[in-house]
């Protein structure tokens, strides 16, 4: 919850910037660590959700591993304190350079997404004279009922190996002498809100897929169910720590674990989304024929989710909280400054009467926000500001006195 102290602090900082509530991050990570030990389920944080060093250092210091999807993420994770034996490397398109680097770093496992990739990693391991551990990502053919761009577990998308290739996969694994096969990996999508139903369905499919491999002489030592736990973008303060409990319990009950078999989860969004806020200012209020626009100094280059997926983020006028006597409900189209029609934060939003200079909070921005930002229009990257540093703020630049 952003309070008056936050607002007073934000007043002193140049916008736009990402504000991270480190107390909320600590509470969230604490919850995940506790459930991880209680259920004996290993957790790897999906680095792509937010790769800020201070955030990664905090997560790694809590015994959580890292799920990476590029060579640079692997190196960055190692740099931020994740031990190599807790780093996994997924992704459909790993380059030769990335594979070689990760073999040399002796990471915990490659999560392989195609037969050809397994073949190539085996060949590269042989050439480097070093064994590599792999898990294989299976496409379970389950629809996570989320946005089509973030559904990854159906047969129509590029991720994982589907059942028509299982026999060839089992053969290939037997022939790859330089690989240690660890187990199977599944990740069906992101922002899953119907956790119990979707994950019960996934667990059922996973159990039968694991049995198929065991029946065909392939030992499955680990089962990794990926990430995907959703967060409440409509009401970020309602349940700031997502319902990890239901997720862990559903998975624990749903997977038939053999003795010695390990179980893994890879949350990204659910760990970091709610601790991040993109803080912006109203540059201009534009009164149109039928609409009023609030033009902010933050745009799609800072947070692309609305433009990319039509994603909803709650928008709050923080300055208006300090002047409660003004009208509390106006309809605005809230937009960014970037030269693209899709640079819209929200159309037809009900907000308090707003004026130039007002501080605006775009909530639940900690995941897939800063990590997806770009420099399109040659815009500056919004920096990170941490709640732990609220005392020592840089003063805001004053360009002219009004
Ligand atoms: C992106 C990703 C995750 C994290 O997904 P969230 O929805 O952010 O929890 C986990 N595993 C893999 C393989 C991913 O690609």
């Amino acid at each position: 919850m952003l309070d008056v102290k936050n607002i007073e602090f934000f007043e002193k900082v140049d916008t736009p910037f990402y504000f991270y509530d480190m107390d909320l991050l600590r509470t969230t990570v604490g919850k995940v660590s506790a459930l991880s030990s209680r259920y004996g389920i290993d957790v790897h944080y999906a680095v792509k959700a937010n790769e800020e060093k201070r955030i990664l250092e905090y997560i790694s210091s809590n015994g959580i591993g890292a799920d990476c999807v590029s060579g640079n993420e692997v190196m960055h994770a190692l740099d931020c304190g994740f031990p190599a034996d807790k780093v996994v490397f997924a992704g459909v398109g790993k380059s030769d350079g990335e594979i070689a680097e990760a073999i040399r770093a002796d990471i915990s496992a490659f999560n392989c997404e195609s037969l050809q990739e397994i073949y190539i990693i085996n060949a590269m391991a042989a050439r480097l004279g070093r064994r590599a551990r792999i898990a294989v990502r299976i496409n379970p053919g389950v629809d996570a009922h989320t946005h089509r761009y973030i559904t990854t577990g159906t047969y129509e998308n590029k991720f994982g190996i589907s059942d028509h290739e299982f026999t060839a996969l089992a053969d290939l694994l037997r022939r790859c002498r330089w690989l240690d096969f660890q187990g199977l990996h599944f990740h069906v999508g992101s922002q899953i809100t119907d956790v119990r139903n979707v994950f019960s369905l996934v667990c059922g499919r996973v159990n039968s897929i694991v049995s198929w491999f065991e029946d065909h002489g392939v030992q499955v030592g680990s089962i990794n169910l990926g990430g995907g736990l959703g967060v409440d973008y409509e009401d970020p303060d309602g349940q700031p720590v997502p319902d990890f409990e239901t997720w862990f319990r559903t998975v624990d009950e749903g997977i038939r674990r053999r003795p010695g078999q390990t179980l893994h989860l890879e949350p990204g969004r659910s760990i970091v989304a709610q601790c991040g806020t993109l803080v912006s200012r109203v540059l201009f209020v534009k009164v149109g024929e039928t609409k009023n626009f609030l033009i902010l100094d933050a745009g799609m280059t800072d947070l692309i989710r609305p433009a990319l997926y039509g994603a909803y983020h709650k928008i709050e006028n923080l300055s208006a909280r300090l002047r409660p006597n003004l009208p509390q409900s106006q309809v605005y189209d809230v937009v960014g400054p970037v030269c693209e029609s899709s640079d819209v934060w929200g159309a037809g939003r009900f907000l308090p009467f707003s004026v130039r200079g007002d501080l605006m909070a775009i909530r639940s921005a900690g995941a897939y926000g800063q990590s997806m930002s770009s420099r399109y229009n040659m815009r500056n990257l919004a920096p990170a500001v941490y709640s732990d540093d609220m005392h020592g703020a840089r003063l805001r630049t004053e360009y002219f006195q009004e």
Side-chain angles (χ1 to χ4, degrees), residues 249-309:
R249 187 168 6 93
T250 305
V251 164
D252 178 61
E253 287 169 1
I255 295 292
R256 258 195 330 266
R257 271 196 261 187
R258 314 282 188 269
Q261 204 169 41
T262 59
L263 190 51
H264 308 254
L265 289 173
E266 300 171 330
R269 183 191 312 272
S270 50
I271 291 186
V272 288
Q274 300 294 26
C275 75
T277 298
L278 178 58
V279 182
S280 175
R281 276 194 174 81
V282 176
L283 289 175
F284 303 110
V285 182
K286 193 167 162 181
V287 180
E289 286 288 306
T290 54
K291 286 179 164 189
N292 293 330
F293 293 94
L294 293 182
I295 301 165
L296 308 192
D297 60 7
M300 62 187 283
T301 54
D302 304 302
L303 173 63
I304 202 176
R305 298 186 67 258
L308 187 61
Y309 313 121

Side-chain angles (χ1 to χ4, degrees), residues 44-49 67-69 88-91 111 113 137 150 152 159 185-192 224-230 247 265-272 367-368:
H44 290 90
Y45 163 69
V47 170
K48 70 179 189 287
D67 166 44
C68 303
V69 289
V88 298
F89 182 11
N111 288 335
E113 306 228 12
R137 179 161 174 184
I150 49 179
T152 56
F159 299 100
H185 176 221
F186 304 83
H187 170 71
V188 295
S190 201
Q191 185 52 19
I192 295 166
N224 180 341
L225 292 182
L229 177 62
W247 192 33
L265 289 173
E266 300 171 330
R269 183 191 312 272
S270 50
I271 291 186
V272 288
Y368 306 107

Side-chain angles (χ1 to χ4, degrees), residues 183-206:
L184 300 176
H185 176 221
F186 304 83
H187 170 71
V188 295
S190 201
Q191 185 52 19
I192 295 166
T193 47
D194 188 6
V195 173
R196 209 185 303 265
N197 284 319
V198 170
F199 280 94
S200 300
L201 196 69
V202 170
C203 288
R205 286 285 296 143
V206 167

